Amino acid sequence: MSGARTNARLKKSLTKAPNVSDQKKTSASREKRVFKPSAEFQRQANLGSLASYKKLYAESVNSPEKFWGRQAKELLVWRKPFTSVLKWKAPHAKWFGGGKLNVAENCLDRHLGTALENKAAIIFEGEPGDVRTITYKQLSMHVCRLAHVFENMGVVAGDRVAIYLPMVPEAVVAMLACARIGAVHTVIFGGFSSEAIKDRINDCKAKLVITADGGWRRGKIIELKPAVDRALEGTPTVQSVIVLKRTGNEVKMAEGRDVWWHDVWKGGPNTHKAKAFDSEHPLFILYTSGSTGKPKGVLHTSAGYLLGAKMTSHYIFDLKQNDRYFCSADIGWITGHSYVVYGLLSNGSTVFLYEGAPNQPEPDRFWQMIDRHAITILYTAPTAIRAFMRWGDNYVLKHRLDSLRLLGSVGEPISPEAWLWYHKLIGKGRCPIVDTWWQTETGSIMIAPIPGAVPLKPGSASLPFFGIVPKIVDEKGKEVPRGTDGKMIITKPWPSMLRTLWGDDERFQKTYFGDYPGIYFTGDGAKQDKDGYFWISGRVDDVLNISGHRIGTAEVEAALATHPAVAEAAAVGRPDDLKGQALVVFVSIKTGVTADDKLKEDLRAHIGREIGSFAKPDSVRIAPSLPKTRSGKIVRRILKDIAAGRQVTGDTTTLEDISVIAALQTQD
Ligand code: WTA
């Protein structure tokens, strides 16, 4: 292509009309209404006035040790009382030193012999429609049995156990059985590929893996066992695999390594004497994406994590023991850990578990189930709400939804449009919405309205939870004036904060406490309005939020780099109406390779194999080279503009070869 022609095309494309992200603002985007708690809700609320929120909040930040010490004493069952509340040597926290407890005992045994014993702990509905109800007593017996199985297999306190299961009650049983014997679970979301399983198992050196023959999703079987088999070709530490029969499809069992859950389970004792563990005993590792390199093993410990999960469930979900609570997040994510398992069961509530897709067999599956099981609280993600909106109101209007009393949102900013739809169509104008901001690393919800106390503003996660002090700062750590965008930090330690990254304390210190020495940096941008409400805009680092899933651009790039056709790759996000963000990858290929649709499909499949199918890019663009500075740095800013179909802004004069912009823009 001649230089003149390239430049003419380039000029044209650089001045192309902006789209997507610059859509016209609708009236809902300018929503200014404030939704005050109704008197009816306030009357029954766990915390029923703004004044009481303010009073408790003030105490929690002015005398944190007194506050947290009291909460821990009142809310948790201790085998040995703690002697100190907090030892903080930034960035390392030790909470409730000297204390001993058992987390599983706090979720189960404490309810036995009470009125809760024969109440449902879990109501489960499988995708094919099978329903099971498991009482607290039954759940406790299941957990005790599995704890014995683990011990008989030689699993001891501190050992790591990987769990790769569908959303079935046995996933909860497996987590709690680990907690009971002090083993550290690492739950791997069922959408991850064998490569991702292998990396996680090797990073934490798991001894035991728990999986299933499969799980149901959109009427099809998700083949979990073959993925584990492939992963285990490269995991020297794994000694045994327990396989749950869920779908009944044929799987290969490796002699001497694999056992069926129902075989090892048979005839075992239903009681188990649980040991007590130190407050800081590791409870679980959960891998999450960061802005650089491989996924990070976020470590949470026992007492502080449990206190955070339990207290936030009580206040933010206004949780009562007669609630029937449905959280649509998978157990493989932090939301499932804190608000399906630990926070809910420690409060003696009833958890509803659903295995499958929200539109199987029809897009009204959630609404059907809410009516069928008289669900009172629904906690879901904006990406799901946008899908429901798209599927149409009629699917909702067919159902009563009159058992609901509270709605929750998590995972990404919720737009005022989606908030109002959720409020009107699902909540019938009656249910408060708690927009909850938090992270894998924070362990429990950090910013959210306490529904009987705090007035709601659509699109804002509102005010911080007790003891949490978020601030919006500039690059230098100086607080910015109200109404100004900045980066969000959390200045005081809190009980459920991550303790370190498994095996990489240096990375922990650098990632979270490096930008603002000694202070936790969230990685999110936000602003605070004149009333002190927080409005979170999303990640300011190279972590994408696709359908509420965190995906690191560096991980996608590393996966592409292992494909034989790829010379160089860059991954960026672009705004997407349904997913929040969509993944766009830019690839330059090696000489001799043909750039065609087959190659694009191959690259997508490759990412599916390396990470998991949920990380497959929405768009693959191939060019002879990527836009780089003369010193060889890929200019992501330009790629983000191209991906979004926006005018390329900013300085392009330092580029090594300006024609690559046009080459990338011309592709879909
Ligand atoms: C984003 C999920 C706006 C945020 C619990 C955060 C949110 C990341 C909200 C953590 C919210 C989560 N409003 N953004 N209510 N909740 N986020 O670790 O960017 O999977 O940093 O934890 O999700 O994602 P993670």
Side-chain angles (χ1 to χ4, degrees):
M1 204 185 285
S2 81
R5 257 174 62 209
T6 313
N7 282 338
R9 261 178 69 183
L10 186 62
K11 209 166 155 206
K12 203 167 145 214
S13 58
L14 289 177
T15 51
K16 226 167 53 176
N19 63 12
V20 218
S21 64
D22 307 284
Q23 282 164 345
K24 257 197 273 158
K25 295 268 181 279
T26 65
S27 56
S29 305
R30 292 192 298 268
E31 177 64 48
K32 287 279 182 303
R33 259 183 301 167
V34 174
F35 293 75
K36 290 211 172 111
S38 69
E40 195 190 345
F41 192 92
Q42 276 183 316
R43 259 197 304 280
Q44 61 78 60
N46 289 345
L47 193 84
S49 78
L50 190 57
S52 44
Y53 162 76
K54 284 186 175 160
K55 188 161 164 252
L56 258 184
Y57 182 77
E59 187 210 337
S60 73
V61 296
N62 295 332
S63 325
E65 295 206 20
K66 188 171 151 235
F67 175 82
W68 288 120
R70 189 178 73 233
Q71 300 294 339
K73 218 162 135 190
E74 280 174 11
L75 296 176
L76 304 184
V77 175
W78 294 90
R79 291 268 198 97
K80 188 167 167 258
F82 51 91
T83 47
S84 66
V85 173
L86 170 66
K87 291 210 169 101
W88 174 238
K89 217 171 145 243
H92 295 110
K94 282 202 167 66
W95 285 91
F96 312 118
K100 279 186 191 288
L101 79 176
N102 185 294
V103 171
E105 203 169 72
N106 267 278
C107 293
L108 299 172
D109 305 43
R110 71 174 303 167
H111 308 310
L112 305 183
T114 76
L116 300 182
E117 185 172 287
N118 294 316
K119 191 188 83 120
I122 299 176
I123 300 172
F124 167 72
E125 186 166 317
E127 199 185 74
D130 48 323
V131 172
R132 278 157 74 192
T133 300
I134 302 171
T135 65
Y136 270 96
K137 178 134 189 225
Q138 289 167 331
L139 185 62
S140 159
M141 290 188 330
H142 291 340
V143 168
C144 288
R145 269 200 192 198
L146 195 65
H148 283 291
V149 171
F150 288 175
E151 285 176 342
N152 293 341
M153 286 177 149
V155 179
V156 297
D159 280 349
R160 273 80 60 206
V161 174
I163 299 174
Y164 185 67
L165 283 171
M167 275 291 276
V168 291
E170 285 79 2
V172 182
V173 174
M175 289 164 79
L176 290 172
C178 287
R180 190 158 192 105
I181 65 162
V184 184
H185 59 70
T186 186
V187 184
I188 303 170
F189 169 58
F192 278 114
S193 69
S194 54
E195 278 299 309
I197 302 169
K198 186 179 84 188
D199 290 348
R200 283 158 176 76
I201 288 178
N202 284 338
D203 189 74
C204 71
K205 301 194 173 50
K207 207 172 186 176
L208 169 68
V209 179
I210 304 172
T211 189
D213 53 356
W216 292 104
R217 184 104 191 152
R218 292 212 170 79
K220 292 206 187 80
I221 292 173
I222 305 276
E223 304 259 359
L224 300 171
K225 181 65 168 51
V228 169
D229 288 340
R230 277 194 304 277
L232 264 48
E233 284 165 19
T235 56
T237 57
V238 175
Q239 295 170 2
S240 339
V241 181
I242 300 178
V243 188
L244 176 78
K245 201 183 257 296
R246 164 68 188 140
T247 47
N249 59 313
E250 190 121 350
V251 294
K252 277 202 214 105
M253 297 291 278
E255 183 80 39
R257 186 194 73 185
D258 302 354
V259 290
W260 284 106
W261 177 301
H262 55 264
D263 283 341
V264 284
W265 171 260
K266 239 186 305 192
N270 283 335
T271 55
H272 174 268
K273 210 165 164 318
K275 283 201 196 101
F277 298 98
D278 287 343
S279 295
E280 287 295 344
H281 185 76
L283 181 64
F284 66 85
I285 302 166
L286 189 57
Y287 287 88
T288 188
S289 295
S291 55
T292 55
K294 56 182 185 126
K296 307 176 286 194
V298 168
L299 179 73
H300 283 289
T301 59
S302 301
Y305 168 79
L306 184 64
L307 180 64
K310 180 166 186 182
M311 239 179 110
T312 47
S313 302
H314 174 79
Y315 284 109
I316 297 167
F317 295 120
D318 191 48
L319 198 65
K320 313 286 194 313
Q321 292 183 335
N322 59 3
D323 271 312
R324 289 177 162 209
Y325 162 102
F326 173 21
C327 164
S328 71
D330 193 278
I331 241 159
W333 307 113
I334 190 70
T335 308
H337 283 58
S338 303
Y339 301 110
V340 173
V341 184
Y342 292 108
L344 271 282
L345 299 177
S346 60
N347 275 304
S349 202
T350 297
V351 168
F352 174 70
L353 271 193
Y354 171 56
E355 176 185 32
N359 54 352
Q360 182 67 28
E362 292 287 324
D364 63 347
R365 182 65 183 263
F366 275 22
W367 323 128
Q368 262 186 35
M369 294 192 300
I370 286 171
D371 279 359
R372 183 153 54 239
H373 301 289
I375 305 292
T376 57
I377 302 174
L378 171 67
Y379 190 32
T380 192
T383 185
I385 297 168
R386 292 191 297 267
F388 298 139
M389 289 166 79
R390 188 170 285 198
W391 292 334
D393 295 0
N394 284 341
Y395 286 109
V396 180
L397 295 171
K398 283 198 279 189
H399 303 278
R400 295 192 313 275
L401 306 182
D402 54 356
S403 54
L404 285 173
R405 65 176 194 93
L406 181 74
L407 304 173
S409 171
V410 62
E412 49 178 321
I414 180 166
S415 67
E417 288 87 343
W419 195 102
L420 291 169
W421 185 90
Y422 197 27
H423 191 252
K424 186 169 165 212
L425 269 283
I426 310 301
K428 313 292 181 201
R430 168 189 81 233
C431 306
I433 297 177
V434 290
D435 174 3
T436 63
W437 178 87
W438 61 297
Q439 308 177 296
T440 305
E441 293 85 345
T442 67
S444 57
I445 297 168
M446 299 280 102
I447 306 179
I450 291 180
V454 176
L456 310 171
K457 296 187 188 183
S460 166
S462 82
L463 301 176
F465 189 64
F466 302 128
I468 308 304
V469 187
K471 287 207 159 87
I472 311 296
V473 296
D474 64 15
E475 298 290 334
K476 295 202 184 84
K478 196 169 157 283
E479 228 180 314
V480 299
R482 292 269 167 102
T484 312
D485 284 311
K487 295 182 174 183
M488 189 158 72
I489 57 171
I490 302 178
T491 60
K492 277 186 198 300
W494 65 99
S496 69
M497 68 195 294
L498 80 165
R499 297 299 192 263
T500 188
L501 293 177
W502 185 258
D504 201 347
D505 194 60
E506 208 179 307
R507 189 175 176 200
F508 160 71
Q509 302 200 24
K510 195 164 158 259
T511 309
Y512 303 106
F513 295 88
D515 293 33
Y516 305 102
I519 298 174
Y520 179 81
F521 174 44
T522 62
D524 277 343
K527 69 179 170 204
Q528 225 180 335
D529 68 16
K530 61 177 184 359
D531 301 322
Y533 277 50
F534 286 86
W535 298 78
I536 289 113
S537 53
R539 306 291 307 188
V540 290
D541 54 13
D542 288 321
V543 175
L544 306 180
N545 191 332
I546 297 175
S547 299
H549 293 164
R550 264 168 79 164
I551 298 179
T553 53
E555 256 172 274
V556 177
E557 288 162 11
L560 282 168
T562 62
H563 189 282
V566 173
E568 222 171 8
V572 300
R574 78 158 180 237
D576 183 273
D577 284 349
L578 197 59
K579 299 174 162 191
Q581 273 187 307
L583 176 62
V584 182
V585 300
F586 294 90
V587 178
S588 70
I589 49 175
K590 292 185 180 151
T591 37
V593 179
T594 320
D596 54 14
D597 286 348
K598 194 179 154 292
L599 177 64
K600 289 186 180 181
E601 202 31 58
D602 203 39
L603 292 170
R604 294 184 75 242
H606 184 71
I607 295 174
R609 277 192 303 275
E610 292 287 310
I611 302 176
S613 48
F614 68 93
K616 281 185 183 172
D618 296 270
S619 166
V620 179
R621 300 193 185 200
I622 302 175
S625 65
L626 300 181
K628 284 194 207 159
T629 60
R630 293 197 177 97
S631 59
K633 228 177 141 251
I634 294 177
V635 190
R636 294 175 164 277
R637 167 179 59 79
I638 293 179
L639 293 178
K640 284 183 195 161
D641 282 343
I642 296 174
R646 281 192 300 258
Q647 193 174 345
V648 173
T649 51
D651 187 11
T652 50
T653 55
T654 55
L655 288 188
E656 180 204 33
D657 177 7
I658 196 164
S659 70
V660 300
I661 295 183
L664 290 166
Q665 273 174 328
T666 49
Q667 295 175 51
D668 174 33

